[in-house]
């Protein structure tokens, strides 16, 4: 079990094991759900076909809050959805949102007949521009992409991974003159032929070519995961290091039907860790309990796939408040807040 003072492990024992039932976890008391956990954005707010609005990236840019969200629509019983696109919304306070009347990005906009779906956006402001990390499904595997925009009208795709890699998030500044991203590859063969996916890091001189990849955090390091983990929102910089959210998945085959699926056995929680400010691949602190666990009606009872918390946006305000935006049950987008000092205290190593 990784303690709050444990640093990055370069070599680990691989313990392939069947997922098993894990303890029930609760949200840490430092978290405050906005409006008792009611969604800040849902399908009813969207002026075009929408059924599930979730997994949004959120930033503060030129005095406005900007949200790019995933929209799944036209459900097929037992087979997901016929359509998926990215929408965009704006807000003055980060709580009440105005949605643009047409989608921000669709598979057709990508101009590649290979691409069948675009989803799961993450946003980072870097050097006065907004960078979008996203995932696409193609006819020959899923890929991760990075694009840039300054006006939310024109967008330039800078790079695309080979299959299979996604959940990418960019750090908001260069570190030692290189761009840095967290990512979650899908190494099925080398991880036992099933879900055992971990958080990795890669570096780039120009946001187009990526390499020097290294392992950051594994499933085995997280006490509340037995299935997979992956990046959440882009990290925020604090005086102690990079405060970083991630999602952690536990699987329990006894769960049965949860939500619209005939059988949904996974539970997603949000976790939090602290990365070294100069060596961001080094974990210097990790909360051994979930930051946010599914508890409210929208998180644990209603929606497409219940018991899902998926953090995609984190904003540090001038007064020390942190806004955390998360998808709930793959159906709606919600907001929670906490003090940055309280979040750091959850994962800061002793005597720092």
């Amino acid at each position: 079990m990784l303690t709050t003072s444990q640093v990055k492990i370069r070599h680990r024992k691989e313990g392939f094991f069947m997922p098993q039932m894990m303890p029930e976890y609760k949200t840490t008391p430092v978290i405050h759900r906005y409006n008792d956990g009611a969604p800040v954005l849902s399908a009813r707010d969207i002026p075009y076909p929408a059924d599930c609005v979730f997994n949004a990236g959120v930033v503060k840019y030129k005095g406005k809050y900007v949200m790019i969200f995933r929209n799944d629509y036209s459900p097929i019983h037992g087979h997901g959805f016929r359509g998926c696109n990215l929408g965009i919304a704006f807000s003055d306070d980060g709580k009440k949102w105005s949605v643009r009347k047409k989608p921000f990005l669709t598979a057709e906009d990508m101009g590649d007949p290979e691409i069948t779906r675009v989803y799961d956006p993450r946003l980072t402001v870097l050097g006065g521009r907004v960078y979008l990390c996203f995932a696409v499904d193609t006819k020959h595997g899923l890929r991760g992409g990075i694009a840039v925009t300054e006006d939310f009208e024109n967008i330039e795709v800078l790079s695309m991974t080979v299959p299979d890699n996604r959940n990418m998030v960019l750090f908001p500044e260069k570190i030692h003159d290189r761009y840095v991203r967290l990512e979650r590859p899908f190494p099925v063969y080398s991880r036992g032929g099933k879900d055992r996916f971990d958080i990795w890091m890669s570096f780039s001189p120009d946001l187009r070519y990526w390499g020097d990849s290294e392992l950051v955090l594994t499933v085995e390091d997280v006490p509340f995961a037995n299935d997979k983990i992956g990046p959440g929102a882009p990290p925020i910089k604090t005086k102690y290091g990079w405060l970083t959210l991630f999602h952690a998945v536990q699987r329990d085959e006894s769960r049965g039907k949860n939500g619209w699926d005939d059988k949904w056995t996974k539970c997603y929680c949000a976790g939090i860790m602290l990365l070294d400010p100069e060596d961001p691949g080094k974990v210097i602190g990790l909360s051994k309990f979930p930051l946010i666990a599914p508890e409210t009606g929208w998180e644990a009872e209603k929606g497409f796939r219940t018991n899902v918390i998926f953090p995609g946006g984190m904003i540090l305000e001038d007064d020390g408040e942190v806004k955390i935006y998360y998808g709930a049950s793959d159906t709606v987008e919600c907001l929670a807040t906490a003090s940055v000092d309280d979040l750091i205290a959850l994962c800061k190593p002793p005597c720092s």
Side-chain angles (χ1 to χ4, degrees):
M1 182 178 293
L2 188 66
T3 67
T4 55
S5 60
Q6 186 171 350
V7 299
K8 179 172 60 178
I9 303 170
R10 294 287 184 180
H11 302 284
R12 298 173 171 89
K13 292 182 180 179
E14 285 297 313
F16 293 139
F17 57 92
M18 291 298 294
Q20 53 189 310
M21 189 172 71
M22 299 186 70
E24 293 297 325
Y25 289 101
K26 299 294 184 182
T27 298
T28 180
V30 308
I31 287 291
H32 306 283
R33 288 176 170 86
Y34 172 69
N35 200 18
D36 294 325
V40 293
L41 199 71
S42 66
R44 67 183 182 182
D45 302 311
I46 313 305
Y48 44 84
D51 286 292
C52 292
V53 173
F54 62 111
N55 289 10
V58 187
V59 291
K60 208 170 181 180
Y61 184 64
K62 296 183 177 180
K64 287 269 190 179
Y65 295 85
V66 184
M67 175 190 292
I68 296 181
F69 55 88
R70 171 176 170 175
N71 168 41
D72 287 3
Y73 60 95
S74 188
I76 306 170
H77 180 70
H79 294 87
F81 297 82
R82 291 184 178 87
C84 181
N85 54 43
L86 301 184
I88 188 168
F90 301 91
S91 174
D92 291 325
D93 61 4
K95 299 170 182 176
K96 300 183 186 304
W97 294 87
S98 175
V99 179
R100 184 182 286 174
K101 292 183 179 180
K102 63 179 183 178
F104 174 71
L105 187 65
T106 69
E108 292 74 22
D109 294 333
M110 297 294 294
D112 184 348
E114 271 281 306
I115 294 174
T116 60
R117 188 170 68 131
V118 57
Y119 56 102
D120 283 0
R122 305 287 179 269
L123 295 177
T124 303
V125 177
L126 200 165
R129 307 172 83 192
V130 178
Y131 290 85
L132 169 70
C133 293
F134 58 94
V136 297
D137 286 348
T138 79
K139 298 172 184 176
H140 296 89
L142 62 88
R143 305 175 69 186
I146 298 175
V148 63
T149 184
E150 294 183 39
D151 58 8
F152 303 106
E153 296 286 350
N154 302 290
I155 184 168
E156 178 188 2
V157 176
L158 301 176
S159 66
M160 298 290 298
T161 69
V162 296
D164 288 314
N165 195 358
R166 74 175 186 199
N167 294 137
M168 301 187 313
V169 298
L170 282 175
F171 282 66
E173 64 182 57
K174 288 184 178 180
I175 301 174
H176 300 303
D177 205 33
R178 295 196 296 175
Y179 298 98
V180 187
R181 77 182 182 198
L182 296 172
E183 56 198 3
R184 205 272 301 279
F186 286 66
V188 175
Y189 287 135
S190 62
R191 292 291 268 143
K194 56 182 180 293
D195 285 11
R196 298 295 291 168
F197 308 136
D198 313 294
I199 298 175
W200 287 70
M201 176 173 288
S202 293
F203 301 85
S204 172
D206 57 5
L207 289 166
R208 296 181 185 272
Y209 301 99
W210 292 86
D212 288 345
S213 303
E214 59 183 76
L215 183 61
V216 176
L217 191 72
T218 76
V219 179
E220 294 87 353
D221 295 331
V222 180
F224 48 95
N226 67 2
D227 185 79
K228 59 185 175 181
I229 60 172
I236 58 176
K237 191 175 186 179
T238 75
K239 63 181 179 180
Y240 296 104
W242 294 101
L243 195 61
T244 307
L245 297 175
F246 60 91
H247 64 269
V249 184
Q250 54 164 281
R251 185 196 292 262
D252 176 1
E253 295 299 334
S254 71
R255 281 196 178 107
K257 181 173 176 60
N258 284 277
W260 303 353
D261 277 1
D262 291 336
K263 187 175 184 182
W264 176 246
T265 62
K266 296 177 182 178
C267 176
Y268 282 65
C269 293
I272 191 163
M273 62 180 170
L274 198 63
L275 303 179
D276 187 272
E278 298 299 320
D279 179 7
K282 180 179 179 181
V283 179
I284 58 175
L286 170 74
S287 175
K288 61 184 179 180
F289 299 104
L291 180 67
I292 308 175
E295 294 168 343
T296 71
W298 274 113
E299 297 165 2
E301 299 171 9
K302 308 173 186 177
F304 173 44
R305 289 173 171 165
T306 59
N307 295 308
V308 174
I309 299 288
F310 201 102
M314 181 165 58
I315 295 174
L316 175 58
E317 304 286 13
D318 292 339
D319 63 359
E321 180 189 70
V322 176
K323 288 184 172 67
I324 298 172
Y325 294 88
Y326 63 94
S329 292
D330 282 0
T331 308
V332 296
E333 189 69 18
C334 297
L335 168 64
T337 61
S339 159
V340 67
D341 292 334
D342 287 341
L343 294 177
I344 291 169
L346 291 174
C347 51
K348 192 179 69 167
C351 304
S352 293

